[in-house]
């Protein structure tokens, strides 16, 4: 069963600043998302995962941001090339976004209900009682108790978890086909995080949305994603199905990350394997592989040449010069 | 933990500690109209060389406990003894003399280092002030401390902004070690760090504990990390300890429904494990500590709450081997 392609990004490169101060935040990023598929983009702060999705949504501040190259096709339209008017028509209707901080999306001086009826009116032409009833049923759907009354409250009257739910209700109001979730559970406590993940997974199934979920938490990714992209210093270092990525990670960075995580379901050892060094500064990236200074397998080639993307298996790719060595060592690398 | 250590008197003893923050109304004449019961009757002890993990969600009072034990807050009631000496009621002069023995490592390495001081001054300041370190020994001691935490001694001349988050956290650890403390409160020491740096800092803390015989109160919301580093764990909910046990017992046989839900909510970085896990979903949010529910604090979200839970507060009862649980329905061990 070949699902329809929903979003296709090719060669996206985004930078900030100009001249000698130019910083390339995302370099040559490509990926495809099928209808109803959940893709996770994982990476540390500064890896370019948020900038990727914000470039596609057209919400990079320009200047200083510049989209240097690339295409992002959604429903036949290149999101990086269409005018603001058409992009606005798509955003909020066919493409929606939720953020880590709900107050990024919610307006503090409008009631929660008004904000939802506003998008219903704008995109679907619903007004009056029909819009209000729809807003109540949306709040109800995202698990806000007593929605008929709480619809008239302001965001500050909601708790953190409830605000996150209200933001999700706003995002799904017009039945988007693509939902971009930028670390929406990172600031939440684990029991609330579990509720929100459950909610989004449920909505994904019932609404058949495609989701791009941005996260730094590999546990959350293991729970929700079907496919995963790992980013490091603005580039894709590995992409795979969630099973392959956790079962047989190919890139030394992915292997190192997974090895360094203490796991709740395993007896703790004395020492965690850890990746040495620090994540690189985007303004002074090494000429070759950005991970080379921290990689236990790095050679001279790694330090001078950007590694090509190599196919490891079906739908499994990694950008590394030393994949043969990783395979020879069966993924057991000499971490400190 | 060897036998002699277990038999020795505890280094830290906390008995029925209460920290209530007043809620006042009025600007000129402030009337007290209530209290936020951030910590409400907590008892525990720490043996020398041991790590006690303190877990709970935001608002559970775990950070307040850490700060109150070091007398950064004046406790409302209760006893705090460190090496037999009373901290809760000691005068400012006595506290000052005791301070070098108890130190703190903070969550945010960006906010906890003075940006205008060199790293060397930051590390040595308190030790010089307390007369532990003579000015002429300063440079040598700072260099030694930087090496201890895995940094280049030459960094002493630099300023905090030149360092990454992980390096700053190491500087914060060196500062705490400068006073040769016995006891360190680690308040979410890795929560603000990148994933690939977290394991480095955990390894460093463990290694220092082994070398210097340190005793840690390790406060964190990440249960995987707490399990990795702690000998015993206390679970907090709304200002009270609801369960306390050695780390193995708590993870394998949690008895309190809140501990069970909390553990089941933590995502595990393995999609195969995630697919098969049974999750206990809690509904709703943490109640306000200014207005806790009657009876058991957890009764509003507890999946097994009955009438008695809304009426009577369950006492913290020892179920054997120091496994303490505060629940009306906690079952005795199957083997017992």
């Amino acid at each position: 069963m070949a699902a329809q392609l929903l979003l296709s990004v090719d060669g996206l490169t985004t930078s900030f600043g100009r001249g000698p101060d130019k910083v390339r935040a995302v370099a040559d990023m490509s990926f495809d998302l099928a209808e109803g598929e959940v893709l996770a983009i994982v990476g540390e702060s500064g890896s370019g995962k948020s900038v990727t999705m914000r470039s596609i949504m057209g919400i990079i501040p320009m200047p200083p941001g510049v989209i240097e190259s690339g295409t992002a096709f959604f429903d036949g339209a290149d999101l990086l090339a269409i005018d603001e008017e058409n992009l606005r028509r798509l955003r909020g209707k066919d493409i929606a976004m939720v953020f880590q901080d709900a107050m990024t999306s919610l307006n503090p001086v409008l009631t929660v209900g008004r904000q939802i009826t506003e998008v219903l009116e704008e995109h679907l032409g619903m007004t009056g009682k029909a819009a209000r009833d729809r807003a109540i049923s949306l709040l109800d759907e995202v698990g806000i108790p007593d929605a008929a009354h709480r619809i008239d409250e302001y965001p500050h009257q909601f708790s953190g978890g409830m605000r996150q739910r209200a933001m999700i209700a706003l995002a799904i109001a017009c039945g988007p086909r693509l939902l971009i979730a930028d670390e929406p559970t990172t600031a939440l406590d684990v029991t609330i995080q579990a509720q929100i993940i459950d909610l989004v997974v449920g909505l994904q199934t019932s609404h058949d949305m495609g989701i791009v979920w941005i996260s730094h938490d590999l546990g959350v990714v293991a729970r929700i994603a079907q496919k995963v992209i790992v980013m490091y210093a603005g580039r894709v270092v590995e992409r795979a199905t969630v099973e392959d990525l956790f079962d047989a990670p190919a890139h030394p960075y992915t292997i190192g990350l997974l090895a360094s995580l203490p796991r709740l379901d395993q007896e703790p050892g004395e020492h965690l394997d850890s990746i040495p060094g620090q994540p690189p500064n985007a303004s002074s990236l090494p000429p070759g592989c950005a991970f080379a200074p921290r990689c236990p397998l790095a050679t001279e080639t790694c330090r001078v040449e950007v590694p090509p993307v190599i196919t490891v298996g079906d739908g499994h790719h990694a950008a590394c010069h030393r994949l043969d060595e990783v395979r020879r060592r069966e993924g057991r690398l000499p971490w400190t | 933990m060897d036998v002699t250590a277990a038999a020795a008197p505890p280094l830290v003893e906390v008995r029925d500690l209460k920290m209530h923050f007043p809620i006042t109304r009025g600007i000129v004449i402030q009337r007290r109209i209530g209290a936020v019961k951030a910590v409400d009757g907590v008892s525990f002890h720490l043996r020398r060389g041991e790590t006690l993990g303190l877990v709970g969600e935001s608002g559970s009072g775990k950070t307040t406990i850490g700060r109150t034990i070091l007398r950064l807050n004046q406790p409302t009631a209760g006893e705090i003894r460190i090496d037999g000496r009373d901290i809760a009621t000691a005068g400012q002069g006595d506290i000052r003399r005791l301070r070098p023995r108890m130190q703190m490592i903070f969550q945010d390495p960006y906010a906890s280092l003075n940006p205008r001081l060199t790293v060397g001054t930051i590390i040595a300041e308190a030790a010089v002030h307390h007369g532990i370190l003579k000015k002429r020994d300063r440079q040598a001691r700072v260099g030694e401390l930087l090496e201890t935490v895995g940094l280049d001694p030459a960094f002493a001349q630099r300023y905090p902004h030149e360092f990454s988050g992980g390096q700053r956290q190491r500087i914060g650890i060196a500062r705490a070690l400068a006073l040769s403390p016995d006891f360190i409160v680690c308040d979410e020491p890795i929560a603000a760090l990148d994933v690939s740096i977290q394991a480095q800092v955990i390894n460093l803390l463990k290694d220092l504990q082994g070398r210097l015989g340190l005793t840690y109160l390790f406060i964190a919301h990440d249960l995987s990390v707490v399990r990795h580093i702690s000998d015993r764990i206390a679970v907090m909910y709304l200002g009270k300890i609801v369960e306390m046990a050695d780390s193995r017992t708590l993870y394998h046989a949690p008895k309190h429904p809140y501990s069970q839900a909390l553990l089941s909510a933590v995502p595990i970085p393995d999609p195969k494990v995630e697919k098969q896990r049974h999750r206990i979903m809690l509904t709703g949010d943490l109640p306000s500590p200014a207005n806790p529910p009657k009876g058991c604090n957890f009764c509003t979200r507890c999946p097994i709450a009955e009438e008695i839970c809304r009426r009577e507060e369950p006492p913290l009862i020892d179920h054997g081997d120091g496994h303490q649980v505060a629940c009306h329905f906690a079952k005795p061990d199957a083997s017992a």
Side-chain angles (χ1 to χ4, degrees):
Chain A
M1 181 195 79
Q4 279 286 327
L5 206 56
L6 185 63
L7 176 68
S8 178
V9 177
D10 191 32
L12 175 69
T13 299
T14 304
S15 60
F16 290 90
R18 57 201 312 190
D21 296 331
K22 189 169 96 168
V23 171
R24 193 163 280 177
V26 176
D28 199 18
M29 171 77 171
S30 304
F31 67 89
D32 288 336
L33 179 77
E35 302 240 19
E37 188 173 60
V38 183
L39 168 77
I41 302 181
V42 228
E44 301 179 84
S45 40
S47 62
K49 54 195 194 301
S50 287
V51 173
T52 299
M53 296 321 293
R54 282 165 199 235
S55 301
I56 293 167
M57 288 292 275
I59 52 171
I60 292 284
M62 295 194 233
V66 181
I67 295 174
E68 292 188 36
S69 61
T71 54
F73 281 95
F74 176 84
D75 216 8
D78 181 0
L79 299 176
L80 301 179
I82 62 173
D83 57 52
E84 184 61 28
E85 183 60 34
N86 281 313
L87 190 57
R88 200 163 44 223
R89 214 167 287 149
L90 285 172
R91 263 194 321 233
K93 184 170 185 293
D94 294 314
I95 309 175
M97 195 159 178
V98 289
F99 298 89
Q100 181 175 334
D101 178 4
M103 294 314 287
T104 315
S105 309
L106 297 175
N107 185 335
V109 299
L110 296 179
T111 63
V112 169
R114 179 65 197 123
Q115 303 187 47
I116 298 176
T117 52
E118 195 175 26
V119 296
L120 292 172
E121 193 177 323
E122 166 81 21
H123 290 291
L124 304 179
M126 282 171 97
T127 52
K129 189 161 184 317
R132 187 178 163 84
D133 287 347
R134 174 86 185 113
I136 292 172
S137 78
L138 279 163
L139 290 175
D140 197 44
E141 187 177 358
V142 297
I144 290 179
D146 197 18
H149 289 103
R150 301 214 69 176
I151 186 170
D152 293 319
E153 290 185 6
Y154 290 88
H156 73 112
Q157 292 169 289
F158 281 48
S159 69
M162 284 298 148
R163 247 182 246 168
Q164 223 64 18
R165 288 174 189 269
M167 172 175 64
I168 292 168
L170 185 62
I172 62 164
C174 301
R177 293 155 64 200
L178 171 61
L179 180 71
I180 296 167
D182 191 353
E183 307 236 20
T185 64
T186 300
L188 303 174
D189 283 314
V190 284
T191 59
I192 308 293
Q193 168 174 282
Q195 294 174 6
I196 299 294
I197 290 175
D198 251 33
L199 169 66
V200 174
V201 170
L203 291 170
Q204 191 263 335
T205 320
S206 60
H207 292 239
D208 198 27
M209 289 184 290
I211 296 184
V212 179
W213 186 290
I214 299 168
S215 181
H216 69 276
D217 186 331
L218 286 158
V220 172
V221 169
R223 187 179 295 180
I224 59 152
Q226 290 152 13
K227 284 188 191 164
V228 187
I229 288 176
V230 183
M231 290 187 79
Y232 189 80
R235 285 181 188 275
V236 174
V237 294
E238 185 160 2
R239 71 174 85 238
T241 61
V242 73
E243 290 82 11
D244 285 349
L245 190 91
F246 285 85
D247 251 5
H251 195 284
Y253 174 62
T254 317
I255 294 172
L257 271 189
L258 287 171
S260 73
L261 294 175
R263 279 176 57 161
L264 203 56
D265 62 335
Q266 285 174 358
E267 291 304 317
E270 265 310 293
H271 187 83
L272 292 168
D273 282 337
S274 71
I275 301 175
Q278 315 289 333
N281 187 335
S283 61
S284 54
L285 290 181
C289 172
F291 187 60
R294 306 176 73 188
C295 180
L297 301 182
T299 61
E300 199 42 41
T301 316
C302 303
R303 279 181 263 278
V304 294
E305 270 178 47
V306 173
V309 177
I310 291 166
T311 302
V312 187
D314 191 19
H316 190 171
H317 310 270
C320 177
H321 290 295
R322 304 282 285 154
L323 289 176
D324 288 339
E325 184 61 19
V326 172
R327 208 171 295 132
R328 198 181 68 74
R329 291 169 179 268
E330 293 173 333
R332 278 186 289 276
L333 306 190
W335 303 107
T336 50
Chain B
M1 183 78 33
D2 59 55
V3 183
T4 47
L11 178 68
V12 180
E13 258 187 295
V14 174
R15 221 171 273 154
D16 207 24
L17 182 68
K18 289 185 182 165
M19 184 66 235
H20 296 182
F21 295 99
I23 307 171
T24 56
R25 181 174 286 165
I27 298 167
V28 182
I29 303 162
Q30 296 203 338
R31 281 174 305 134
R32 208 183 135 119
I33 56 163
V36 174
K37 297 175 178 172
V39 177
D40 198 23
V42 162
S43 305
F44 61 85
H45 66 273
L46 275 131
R47 289 183 286 259
R48 200 176 282 278
E50 179 186 47
T51 300
L52 175 68
L54 204 52
V55 298
E57 299 182 270
S58 37
S60 63
K62 54 192 194 304
T63 292
T64 306
I65 287 188
R67 297 180 58 91
T68 308
I69 291 178
L70 300 186
R71 268 290 294 274
L72 298 171
N73 297 326
Q74 174 65 45
T76 311
E79 259 177 59
I80 306 161
R81 284 180 187 281
I82 295 187
D83 215 2
R85 264 176 289 191
D86 185 25
I87 299 280
T89 55
Q92 282 303 324
D94 289 336
I95 289 293
R96 238 182 64 84
R97 275 186 291 281
L98 286 168
R99 276 268 151 76
R101 304 194 54 191
M102 40 195 210
Q103 286 293 305
M104 189 155 183
I105 298 168
F106 298 90
Q107 170 171 2
D108 186 350
Y110 291 85
S112 57
L113 305 178
N114 187 332
R116 292 191 183 82
L117 300 181
T118 62
V119 166
T121 310
I122 289 172
I123 292 174
E125 198 181 21
V128 170
H129 179 78
H130 280 286
I132 294 169
L133 185 58
K134 296 204 176 55
K135 283 227 162 101
R136 64 185 145 83
D137 301 330
R138 214 195 93 170
Q139 198 183 348
R141 175 71 173 147
V142 167
E144 181 191 304
L145 286 162
L146 282 169
E147 272 186 347
T148 307
V149 298
L151 294 174
D152 184 342
F155 288 175
Q157 304 307 319
R158 299 209 203 158
Y159 289 87
H161 71 91
E162 299 176 59
F163 297 97
S164 67
Q167 290 171 320
R168 284 182 207 219
Q169 202 55 300
R170 288 175 192 264
I171 294 167
I173 294 170
R175 173 176 60 185
L177 294 179
L179 295 146
S180 308
D182 305 309
F183 173 51
I184 301 182
V185 172
C186 309
D187 187 5
E188 298 267 14
I190 63 156
L193 304 179
D194 267 324
V195 185
S196 75
I197 302 300
Q198 294 184 350
Q200 293 179 5
V201 174
I202 297 170
N203 284 340
L204 174 65
L205 287 172
K206 267 200 134 172
D207 173 53
L208 292 172
Q209 180 170 45
R211 274 198 283 164
L212 306 172
L214 299 170
T215 306
Y216 291 145
L217 179 66
F218 194 92
I219 301 168
H221 69 279
D222 183 332
L223 282 93
S224 323
V225 171
V226 170
R227 178 187 193 195
H228 181 80
I229 201 162
S230 307
D231 301 302
R232 288 186 301 133
I233 294 171
V235 181
M236 288 200 67
Y237 190 81
L238 214 61
K240 293 184 199 288
I241 290 178
V242 297
E243 183 162 11
M244 183 154 51
D246 67 84
S247 158
R248 215 190 126 74
T249 307
L250 191 88
Y251 281 91
H252 288 283
K255 284 174 185 274
H256 196 284
Y258 177 65
S259 317
Q260 291 167 353
L262 200 59
L263 288 169
S264 81
V266 176
I268 289 173
D270 186 335
K272 278 183 287 196
V273 175
E274 276 297 317
K275 276 202 183 75
Q276 288 164 12
R277 280 178 88 201
H278 169 67
R279 211 161 280 126
I280 305 163
M281 276 292 168
L282 293 181
T283 51
D285 296 305
L286 195 74
S288 160
N291 185 22
K294 201 169 169 292
C296 174
N297 270 349
F298 187 53
C299 72
T300 54
R301 299 172 75 193
C302 183
I304 60 166
E306 287 186 24
E307 214 261 317
I308 183 174
C309 306
R310 289 183 252 297
R311 204 177 52 226
E312 271 175 49
E313 186 188 328
L316 192 64
I317 291 171
D318 199 315
H319 286 244
D321 287 335
H323 189 171
Q324 302 181 343
V325 191
C327 175
H328 291 300
F329 296 101
K331 292 182 199 75
D333 283 318
S335 56

